Structures are given as C-alpha cells and as structure tokens.
Amino acid sequence: MILLGLNIDHCATVRQARYREAAATTGGAVEPDPVTLAVLGERAGADGITVHLREDRRHIQERDVWRLRECIATRLNLEMACNPAMTAFALKLKPATVCLVPENRDEISTEGGLDVVGNQKRVQACINAMTKAGIQTSLFIDPDEAQIELAAKLGAPIVELHTGAYANAYHSAKRAKEFQRLRLGCVRAHELGLVVNAGHGINYVNVTEVRTLPHVHEMNIGHSVISRALFTGIEEAVRELKARMAGQ
Ligand code: PXP
C-alpha cells in the first residue's frame, strides 16, 4: 500500500490571506488552522504530515511546525531549503524526515527539483547533519539518472521524484514520455537502495496512473486534496484520495 503524506501548506495559504500578522503569533486562534486540519487528515487515514517552511514564510509559520510536532500522531516531514539556517531549525525541531527542496522567492510553488549535482557540498553537509541527529533526509529531485545516482552516493536514504512535469503534460502528447522518465527513475532509485517517494501535481485523476509506478513508497499530495476539502471536508477528501491510491 502506498502511503499518503498530506501536505497542508495551502490550508495556511488561506489563513495567511486574511491573518498575515496574527498567524505568526496566535496560530490556532485564527482560521483555518492547519494543525487541526492535519489531525483530522490523520484520523481519515493520512500516514504523515508534510509542511514546507519557506524562507518568506508565505504560508506555514514556525509556530505551526512546533504545534504540529506536539499534536500529530503520525510522522512530520519538513520540506526546507538546503541552507545553514534551515538545517539549524530542523536540528532543533527533530522531525522524522526533512525533504530538501529548491527555493526561489518568485515561484508560486516548488518548480524544478533540487539540483544535487550543482549543490553537492551543501547537500552533503545537510545530509550528514541530519543523519547524525537521527533525522532521515529525502531529496526532492527530477527523475534524472545523474541526480538519483548522486543522491545515493551522498547517503540520502530517500528521494522524492518530482511528478510536476508529468502532471503538467497529463493532457498532452508528452505524457507518455514523462511517465516513462518517472518509471525509469523509480527503477534506478530502487536499484540503488533508495526509498522512492513521489510528489507535486498529483491529483484525483492522475493518481490512478501515478500509483502504477514501480516501488513508490509514499506520495506527498497537497493542492488537490486541500482543494477537494473545500467541498467535502478534509476527512472525506483524504478517504477518497487514499481509495484512489489503492486502485479502488
Ligand atoms: N512534494 C514537494 C517536495 C513539494 O514541494 C510539494 C509542494 O509544492 C508537493 C510535494 C505537493 O505538491 P502539490 O501541492 O502539487 O500536491
């Protein structure tokens, strides 16, 4: 069974749209509260909670992350930029996993995968620090052989293959090619002993194909499930997604 990492960033996006100041200080006193959403999501079957603490704090705030660590019953996966400030924060927080992602202030959401090849030293330093502290590191990378091989060489236990290019190509002629890239990426990562996760742009439609990728351990899904929850509530949205992930 493929696990669901529920990404709750966009619950915080809605909160920040109204309560930019209050959310950083009073957290749960303003709505919608991402921590409450996380707990309800877990109750409906989410296997882990994922948040991206961005440098510009545009959605998730530090206070949210600390509250999550206290309140959730599953695993906390902290997505973060690969830099000394975030590394220091993660070492204090001690989430179950950190997922290193590229960060660019102008992007609306994470766009390409992390360039491990071009940032080898920084990535290695972060992996080493996390390993020493008992935190598993996941690298969010494109399904590219060189990136996958270096991830394994640097000792990252997990890779999250970026499904965004595939999701964007879903309704076009490029879909089969992007799916094949992901398929080969999953096979290579598994051969190298890496745990293989997938994420970005997975929704209630394309999940039926993404679930057929080999060796996928967990999918990290945010936008589609938070969007669906506006109509059904988070519990129903999670139950429906998990059913589709299981091919039902
Ligand atoms: N995985 C990673 C590493 C991400 O940065 C994100 C958010 O951009 C996701 C998964 C979830 O993507 P989405 O919100 O499109 O489901």
Side-chain angles (χ1 to χ4, degrees):
M1 199 188 65
I2 302 173
L3 303 181
L4 171 64
L6 175 64
N7 180 317
I8 60 169
D9 290 350
H10 292 306
C11 177
T13 300
V14 175
R15 179 193 60 193
Q16 297 303 104
R18 174 55 55 95
Y19 293 111
R20 184 163 294 280
E21 301 306 321
T25 50
T26 53
V30 293
E31 63 186 4
D33 177 29
V35 180
T36 305
L37 186 99
V39 171
L40 293 172
E42 285 184 324
R43 206 186 284 172
D47 303 287
I49 301 297
T50 295
V51 286
H52 184 176
L53 184 65
R54 298 187 71 104
E55 193 187 8
D56 63 9
R57 305 294 192 263
R58 73 175 68 158
H59 39 54
I60 293 292
Q61 307 298 308
E62 280 185 36
R63 189 171 188 280
D64 296 325
V65 185
W66 287 107
R67 289 177 61 228
L68 282 167
R69 218 203 52 177
E70 294 308 310
C71 297
I72 67 171
T74 59
R75 290 169 295 108
L76 180 61
N77 174 36
L78 177 70
E79 288 180 6
M80 61 180 224
C82 180
N83 63 40
M86 283 311 306
T87 300
F89 178 80
L91 291 174
K92 272 193 280 167
L93 181 76
K94 292 201 189 321
T97 49
V98 297
C99 178
L100 301 184
V101 300
E103 236 181 70
N104 156 11
R105 274 168 198 261
D106 298 329
E107 68 192 6
I108 291 171
S109 176
T110 309
E111 281 163 7
L114 180 71
D115 179 11
V116 184
V117 176
N119 295 279
Q120 187 170 337
K121 258 186 144 171
R122 279 199 301 152
V123 174
Q124 180 76 82
C126 189
I127 294 172
N128 290 351
M130 295 304 148
T131 306
K132 217 169 138 198
I135 301 167
Q136 288 201 303
T137 305
S138 171
L139 303 181
F140 181 55
I141 54 176
D142 291 327
D144 178 275
E145 196 165 350
Q147 301 287 348
I148 294 168
E149 286 176 359
L150 190 55
K153 196 168 153 213
L154 298 187
I158 311 167
V159 285
E160 180 172 326
L161 297 185
H162 195 320
T163 46
Y166 160 80
N168 289 339
Y170 190 78
H171 296 289
S172 81
K174 288 194 210 137
R175 167 174 161 191
K177 187 173 144 240
E178 292 297 342
F179 188 75
Q180 177 66 353
R181 272 184 79 204
L182 281 169
R183 211 182 62 74
L184 294 174
C186 289
V187 169
R188 186 70 188 122
H190 179 73
E191 270 171 9
L192 292 167
L194 294 160
V195 171
V196 189
N197 293 344
H200 201 94
I202 301 174
N203 59 35
Y204 288 77
V205 175
N206 64 28
V207 71
T208 57
E209 188 166 63
V210 176
R211 68 176 290 281
T212 68
L213 285 167
H215 313 301
V216 174
H217 172 71
E218 180 170 83
M219 294 185 198
N220 275 301
I221 305 180
H223 187 270
S224 62
V225 65
I226 301 300
S227 303
R228 177 69 62 113
L230 290 174
F231 296 95
T232 66
I234 190 66
E235 290 173 275
E236 181 54 29
V238 166
R239 276 195 291 269
E240 166 89 27
L241 188 54
K242 287 238 17 182
R244 293 197 188 200
M245 286 167 64
Q248 291 156 13

